Amino acid sequence: MTAIIIFIGLIIGLNCIPLLTKMTFPRIEKIVLRLLIVTTILFLIFVVFEFSGYKLKGLHTFSTISWTFIISTILFFALFRNTKKKILTGFLLTPLVILSILTLILGQVVYEKKIDETNKISVTTGGFLACGEIINITQTRLGIFDKQVFHINNLCLIGINRIETVKLDDKHAEFLIYHDGQQDSENPYKYDVERNNVW
């Protein structure tokens, strides 16, 4: 609740900046508006893809888009004068800013490694109620996306810093998962998975 009050106070404070300065910056406003439109469209497109299991390649690609969207939104609130259009835009942007902050906190890729030519294994942060980090096996799709083909979220391991592939064939895969040892004393944790018609 405190974070929501701070966020609302920040938005109100940023909206008061144009009232205090009494100056306009038309060239900067045009650049900020274009940047805001582009980053909003990109953010919405990649959020839809992410909910469908397609994550952008790279550890920091999606977070860079999210941060650019948040910063351009803050600049929009700080530079533009208060009008009906700005108020309406603010009502539309506020849920998207909250969603972008949540995507920065939850589901961030903290480790990634190739298993073979077509498959990668990655570790993402869990949600608020998750007991540990989530392990995903992904395959490259459409050139810029990693499609999740297998999902492991029941291991309750945190601080995963390395995953070694012990065995990999058409029917079976075996991994050694190195972690910080807080949730489970077995380190490395041995995990076996059947590949039959799964990935």
Side-chain angles (χ1 to χ4, degrees):
M1 187 66 183
T2 307
I4 294 170
I5 293 169
I6 291 170
F7 179 72
I8 291 170
L10 178 71
I11 296 297
I12 292 169
L14 290 172
N15 279 309
C16 291
I17 290 174
L19 297 174
L20 299 174
T21 60
K22 306 271 187 194
M23 292 168 37
T24 59
F25 308 98
R27 184 176 291 170
I28 295 173
E29 287 178 5
K30 191 181 284 188
I31 293 169
V32 168
L33 186 62
R34 287 179 181 166
L35 181 65
L36 180 63
I37 291 169
V38 169
T39 54
T40 303
I41 291 168
L42 285 175
F43 177 74
L44 286 172
I45 289 170
F46 293 132
V47 161
V48 169
F49 273 105
E50 193 158 327
F51 281 123
S52 302
Y54 290 87
K55 212 171 184 64
L56 271 173
K57 276 182 154 188
L59 290 175
H60 305 292
T61 312
F62 186 70
S63 59
T64 303
I65 292 170
S66 297
W67 276 113
T68 309
F69 169 68
I70 292 170
I71 291 168
S72 61
T73 303
I74 290 171
L75 288 174
F76 172 77
F77 284 127
L79 295 176
F80 283 72
R81 292 203 173 275
N82 294 333
T83 60
K84 288 181 182 178
K85 186 188 261 187
K86 180 181 176 182
I87 293 169
L88 180 63
T89 307
F91 278 117
L92 295 173
L93 288 177
T94 303
L96 292 178
V97 170
I98 293 169
L99 179 64
S100 64
I101 291 169
L102 287 175
T103 59
L104 287 171
I105 296 170
L106 309 173
Q108 284 298 304
V109 179
V110 293
Y111 176 82
E112 192 174 68
K113 181 185 176 185
K114 272 195 161 192
I115 301 173
D116 56 18
E117 292 300 316
T118 56
N119 298 300
K120 272 197 294 193
I121 192 163
S122 64
V123 178
T124 58
T125 55
F128 293 118
L129 300 176
C131 68
E133 294 172 334
I134 299 165
I135 299 172
N136 298 305
I137 295 175
T138 60
Q139 295 176 345
T140 301
R141 302 280 167 86
L142 304 172
I144 61 168
F145 293 106
D146 286 330
K147 169 72 173 151
Q148 178 184 310
V149 292
F150 191 71
H151 183 74
I152 308 163
N153 62 352
N154 58 353
L155 297 183
C156 292
L157 301 175
I158 56 172
I160 297 172
N161 52 30
R162 190 175 68 180
I163 298 175
E164 289 181 3
T165 307
V166 178
K167 182 181 177 185
L168 183 68
D169 56 34
D170 293 337
K171 297 182 179 179
H172 184 74
E174 187 177 311
F175 300 105
L176 288 177
I177 303 169
Y178 293 86
H179 56 96
D180 63 5
Q182 289 182 6
Q183 303 278 34
D184 196 306
S185 59
E186 184 184 346
N187 197 5
Y189 184 87
K190 188 176 177 183
Y191 185 76
D192 297 317
V193 60
E194 296 294 327
R195 289 188 68 182
N196 294 337
N197 301 319
V198 179
W199 56 282

